[in-house]
Amino acid sequence: MSPEFNRDLKLAPSILSADFANFGAECRAIEAQGADWVHVDVMDGHFVPNLTFGPAMCAALRKHIKGVMDVHLMIAPVDPYIDAYAKAGADVITAHIEAGPHIHRTLQSIRATGAKSGLAINPGTGIDAVPGLLDLVDVVCVMTVNPGFGGQKFIHSQLNKIRALRQMIGDRPIHIEIDGGVTVETAPLCVAAGADVLVAGSAIFNGGSVDKPEVYGENMRNLRASVRTALAG
Ligand code: DX5
Ligand code: ZN
């Protein structure tokens, strides 16, 4: 992760939308095409109704990712697995505020590994507890879909939450990451509300492949342009 904090727009393609038989090449392709972070969605079939990657998978991916490996843990319990994902080479480890009764301890455990700590918040969860956690957080991840699957529709009511978090964070070096339903239509709304990291699965991978990686580049340029145009207007 870049040692210098900034609020420049960063795109984090979610490999949940990549070719599952070709992850190494997919990670290399999206980075070559301009991805800032690589977002890895870890699901346990319990906290969310889908199953994806264990720590061994992340360790294998690490060899193909030059930049930031952003690991989003949609698992409960989460505490027993933090060290394993840190050892697998995660730069950012994000846990859900809903994943257990001791989110403060969870964030402390993430920081103790040397990884950056992320706090994810589901659409149905408020942010009253966040001020008490800010000293332990490097990334707040606002879920703009209910987690579990790619390709869902953006939940617009979360924009108010993004605005409130942006105010709450003030000058602290904390990223606001948006996860779910990010498209050329919704990306500008998120950035205008205060986000600086946009996770996108379908909007980046759709239409491309490792044999047609230029489509990933085009999709990412379109997302960046949608934000620039909206902010300029
Ligand atoms: C949802 C995941 C997201 C998802 C985003 O549970 O956390 O990262 O893959 O996919 P899109 O961009 O297709 O909504
Ligand atoms: Zn995610």
Side-chain angles (χ1 to χ4, degrees):
M1 195 159 179
S2 147
E4 274 165 40
F5 177 88
N6 65 59
R7 293 198 187 281
D8 298 346
L9 174 61
K10 287 164 277 297
L11 295 182
S14 163
I15 59 164
L16 195 59
S17 295
D19 174 2
F20 271 44
N22 225 348
F23 279 127
E26 290 278 39
C27 289
R28 295 195 302 273
I30 50 176
E31 281 198 326
Q33 293 295 323
D36 298 290
W37 296 6
V38 178
H39 187 82
V40 183
D41 283 310
V42 174
M43 304 187 184
D44 67 351
H46 165 75
F47 181 71
V48 290
N50 198 0
L51 277 167
T52 57
F53 320 121
M57 180 70 191
C58 288
L61 289 173
R62 178 70 272 182
K63 303 183 183 92
H64 300 274
I65 299 171
K66 292 197 194 110
V68 173
M69 182 159 86
D70 177 32
V71 176
H72 178 191
L73 298 179
M74 286 162 273
I75 65 177
V78 60
D79 293 4
Y81 300 101
I82 289 169
D83 279 348
Y85 283 97
K87 285 200 183 90
D91 297 290
V92 182
I93 299 179
T94 296
H96 270 258
I97 198 165
E98 305 87 1
H102 301 297
I103 186 65
H104 190 276
R105 176 186 292 151
T106 301
L107 294 168
Q108 284 177 319
S109 306
I110 294 172
R111 280 268 181 90
T113 68
K116 299 282 184 193
S117 66
L119 174 68
I121 306 170
N122 278 337
T125 304
I127 55 173
D128 289 359
V130 177
L133 301 170
L134 286 182
D135 288 347
L136 289 170
V137 172
D138 300 295
V139 179
V140 177
C141 175
V142 178
M143 295 305 303
T144 40
V145 298
N146 287 298
F149 304 96
Q152 302 183 81
K153 217 168 152 335
F154 185 88
I155 301 173
H156 282 260
S157 61
Q158 301 308 300
L159 289 167
N160 282 337
K161 191 187 280 180
I162 302 169
R163 279 188 279 271
L165 284 165
R166 183 67 197 87
Q167 278 227 316
M168 194 188 285
I169 285 168
D171 291 336
R172 293 179 179 85
I174 300 175
H175 298 289
I176 299 184
E177 177 179 61
I178 306 306
D179 192 358
V182 170
T183 63
V184 288
E185 283 82 34
T186 59
L189 307 176
C190 297
V191 174
D196 63 298
V197 184
L198 301 180
V199 175
S202 9
I204 291 176
F205 283 94
N206 273 1
S209 69
V210 290
D211 300 321
K212 273 200 296 179
E214 62 283 357
V215 176
Y216 300 156
E218 197 182 316
N219 288 343
M220 285 190 271
R221 280 192 297 281
N222 289 342
L223 279 172
R224 291 187 207 276
S226 72
V227 170
R228 262 198 315 273
T229 311
L231 293 188

